[in-house]
Amino acid sequence: MVINLRRSHRISAPCRGNGLSLWASIFTFRFFALSLTIAVSIVFTFSFLFTTSSFASDLSFGFSYDRNEVKAGSNRRTVLALKSDPLKPRLDQIRKQAGDHRSLALAYASYARKLKLENTKLVRIFADLSRNYTNLMSQPSYRELFDADANLIDESELRKFEKEVKERIKFTRQVITEAKESFDNQLKIHKLKDTIFALNEQLTKSKKQGAFSSLIAAKSIPKSLHCLALRLMEERIAHPEKYTDEGKPTKPELEDPKLYHYAIFSDNVVAASVVVNSAVKNTKEPWKHVFHVVTDKMNLGAMQVMFKMRDYSGAHIEVKAVEDYKFLNSSYVPVLKQLESSNLQKFYFENKLENATKDTTNMKFRNPKYLSILNHLRFYLPEMYPKLHKILFLDDDIIVQRDLTGLWKIDMDGKVNGAVETCFGSFHRYAQYMNFSHPLIKAKFSPKACAWAYGMNFFDLDAWRREKCTEEYHYWQNLNENRTLWKLGTLPPGLITYYSTTKPLDKSWHVLGLGYNPSISMDEINNAAVIHFNGNMKPWLDIAITQFRPLWTRYVDYENEFVQACNFGL
């Protein structure tokens, strides 16, 4: 037993030592775990307390609690608390906005002084705005907000500060918006462009309507002129034997090539008589002058009476209707053939303002007078007067102021047409009258060739026949049926027909523009042999140019009983 006990003791002794060690290790581990748990609990406790304090602070500012109640026990914040204040960024943002708008007001004030604006009120306003921002941030109640060591930011003060800043910002922006036009050159330019565009649109519309109205006025027949034509026709019907030449032999003077012959094509009774009156009164030997007046059938009777009632100082006057020339028919004359075209009639007689005024540049060519065969008779002079060698063509809106017999003494150098050139600089060149984008026009003519005037043209009929000018006119007129070579009228085909066969005359023979240009000098007019009322403001219309109208009315036969009965010119 003793031995066993000892053995047992020897064996169990180490076991006892190992047990104590194990318990010591367990105790150490538990102590360490407990310490760690306590440390973590302390950290969480402090964190919770700090968060609760911040939340309470936020809650107090969010619901506008009394600041004294919230700050019980603590009147100042730590540096850490101040740096993490959520109101601080908001304060910085408001302060930055105020500073930016203060700088903006200063910039506008400086720019206004540089521009030396007449309205110095703006300079004063911007300067005052800048001072207001400075004064606002200098107030003691607001300066505390910007102090890093200041008390806890008072949200009520912050809101008050924010409200005043926003009011000043709003006013500053309003003033800048209203004054921006005075400072922003780009805005000025855009606004000016918009204004110019709108005015240009109105001007274009007014020009179209004005051109159309002017065209209507130019085509109108005054009441007195209409009355005169009717009274003369009434006289012709009442006394046919006094005014008719039917059955009588042709006077030899009408075909005598040794006399001075004039061609006048018109349906205006007064205008035609004024041309003859002015020419007769300013010639030395009226009996050597022959006037060939051609009108339409409707006005033939009135023309016959008008020219039969006066002697005209022995001058010879022939009155005929265009219908008397049988060769002038649609099978021979291109214009008469083109009159049958519906497109051409629509172009001339369009009755809608928006369609009729599309081409304002060439509005005058929409006048239906250019469809009249009377306007194209000038291209048939050799056939109408086969026995003559030379003839002077006169429009019915001209006045003769000097003896024209000197024209018959001019050496034409083999040319067909003697006319006054109208070009100066780049104006009144062939390019203005014809379509040089068309290959035929471009190949045949020079765009820089000088244009000349219709209205007083001296024609060498022998040279005309030799050059076959009528055939040339027919060729080009047929090609232009669709108006692709030139706009309608008689000048473009005349420029083509007599290209390189026109002799320039001295400008004093023919002065133009009295029907549209009021700035022509009286010296130039007085020195002219012929003055021309070309344009819409004809002297027998109410729209005539006032200072030029007496030049025409002094040749009106106011002693004529029918002129007096119709109150013409009053």
Side-chain angles (χ1 to χ4, degrees), residues 456-507:
M456 190 211 74
N457 302 83
F458 188 74
F459 290 108
D460 186 332
L461 299 182
D462 292 333
W464 184 317
R465 297 180 184 102
R466 184 179 64 251
E467 296 291 338
K468 298 182 179 180
C469 291
T470 301
E471 288 83 346
E472 185 78 1
Y473 161 71
H474 282 177
Y475 170 76
W476 289 101
Q477 190 69 41
N478 284 321
L479 288 176
N480 194 47
E481 183 174 359
N482 294 325
R483 305 184 303 279
T484 56
L485 304 182
W486 67 82
K487 297 294 182 181
L488 291 168
T490 53
L491 182 56
L495 296 175
I496 289 176
T497 301
Y498 309 115
Y499 183 68
S500 73
T501 62
T502 297
K503 180 179 178 62
L505 301 179
D506 187 270
K507 293 186 181 296

Side-chain angles (χ1 to χ4, degrees), residues 399 401-404 407 419-421 456 505-512 523-531:
I399 292 293
Q401 300 187 128
R402 200 168 71 216
D403 194 338
L404 301 179
L407 289 169
V420 171
E421 292 183 332
M456 190 211 74
L505 301 179
D506 187 270
K507 293 186 181 296
S508 63
W509 281 109
H510 187 190
V511 171
L512 300 99
D523 290 338
E524 187 179 2
I525 291 173
N526 293 331
N527 293 329
V530 167
I531 56 175

Side-chain angles (χ1 to χ4, degrees), residues 180-196:
K180 203 167 186 180
E181 185 178 346
S182 301
F183 297 97
D184 194 338
N185 292 332
Q186 201 67 25
L187 183 64
K188 281 184 182 179
I189 292 171
H190 283 302
K191 189 170 183 179
L192 187 59
K193 282 183 177 180
D194 292 340
T195 303
I196 292 173

Side-chain angles (χ1 to χ4, degrees), residues 98-144:
D100 290 344
H101 283 79
R102 174 182 173 276
S103 300
L104 190 62
L106 281 174
Y108 271 92
S110 175
Y111 191 56
R113 293 188 190 96
K114 185 184 297 184
L115 293 178
K116 297 180 180 179
L117 294 176
E118 294 181 2
N119 189 3
T120 56
K121 182 180 179 181
L122 286 176
V123 181
R124 189 169 59 255
I125 289 175
F126 285 119
D128 291 343
L129 282 173
S130 176
R131 283 193 295 271
N132 286 340
Y133 284 112
T134 304
N135 295 336
L136 179 65
M137 289 185 286
S138 300
Q139 292 181 16
S141 58
Y142 297 144
R143 285 182 62 85
E144 294 181 1

